[in-house]
Amino acid sequence: MKNSKGYFYYFVWMLGALVLMYYGKQFTDMMNHKTQTFYQMEYSLIGQIVYGLAFGLYLSFLNGFPNRRKFHRPLFTFVFVPSFLLLIYPIITIYVKQIYIVGYFEIVRDPQLFFFGMLSALSLMKSTFTTR
């Protein structure tokens, strides 16, 4: 039985996911309650982006730990780059007013922003590393 594929690994991974969800919710609530801004960005937006990226990074460990570098160009190009651009689009529009898309904020709300963050971190890890 492989070390990263045993029952104990998946049990510990699931406990870690529960802990990440619990503290992630507290983190996003804390960021929502802050009223200050950081370089013209709201803290709630930063909290949602960071939580989505952290959860996607943790989700990439479901198949095991990264073993060696192997770049998978189609996954990086067609999944990571668009999802990452859609994730940071609200930050880009704060500084660059010329690329504002009118219907973006009606389509993409809080849950979708989390999934874009999760998808971008997961696809970045899977396109850069192979697992054991």
Side-chain angles (χ1 to χ4, degrees):
M1 179 166 70
K2 287 185 176 181
N3 189 17
S4 65
K5 299 292 184 181
Y7 293 109
F8 184 71
Y9 177 80
Y10 291 122
F11 179 72
V12 170
W13 186 90
M14 189 62 199
L15 289 178
L18 292 173
V19 167
L20 181 65
M21 282 191 279
Y22 176 74
Y23 286 112
K25 178 67 175 154
Q26 287 185 347
F27 173 72
T28 55
D29 288 344
M30 179 193 69
M31 295 299 270
N32 286 335
H33 292 302
K34 286 192 176 272
T35 58
Q36 300 170 348
T37 58
F38 180 71
Y39 292 108
Q40 300 176 354
M41 289 181 285
E42 296 179 0
Y43 278 118
S44 62
L45 178 65
I46 296 170
Q48 293 168 0
I49 290 172
V50 168
Y51 179 55
L53 288 172
F55 202 82
L57 182 68
Y58 188 74
L59 190 63
S60 69
F61 291 120
L62 183 60
N63 291 334
F65 291 107
N67 189 13
R68 59 187 167 117
R69 296 190 76 132
K70 182 180 178 188
F71 191 67
H72 193 261
R73 192 177 311 262
L75 180 63
F76 183 82
T77 305
F78 293 111
V79 178
F80 169 72
V81 172
S83 65
F84 188 72
L85 288 176
L86 288 171
L87 176 69
I88 64 168
Y89 176 76
I91 297 171
I92 293 172
T93 58
I94 291 172
Y95 298 106
V96 181
K97 300 289 184 190
Q98 288 83 9
I99 59 170
Y100 184 75
I101 299 172
V102 176
Y104 175 81
F105 292 105
E106 285 79 25
I107 296 171
V108 177
R109 305 233 185 237
D110 294 341
Q112 289 88 358
L113 197 61
F114 168 75
F115 288 119
F116 281 133
M118 188 174 64
L119 179 65
S120 63
L122 178 65
S123 62
L124 177 66
M125 289 298 289
K126 292 298 176 186
S127 67
T128 321
F129 297 104
T130 60
T131 55
R132 290 187 228 179

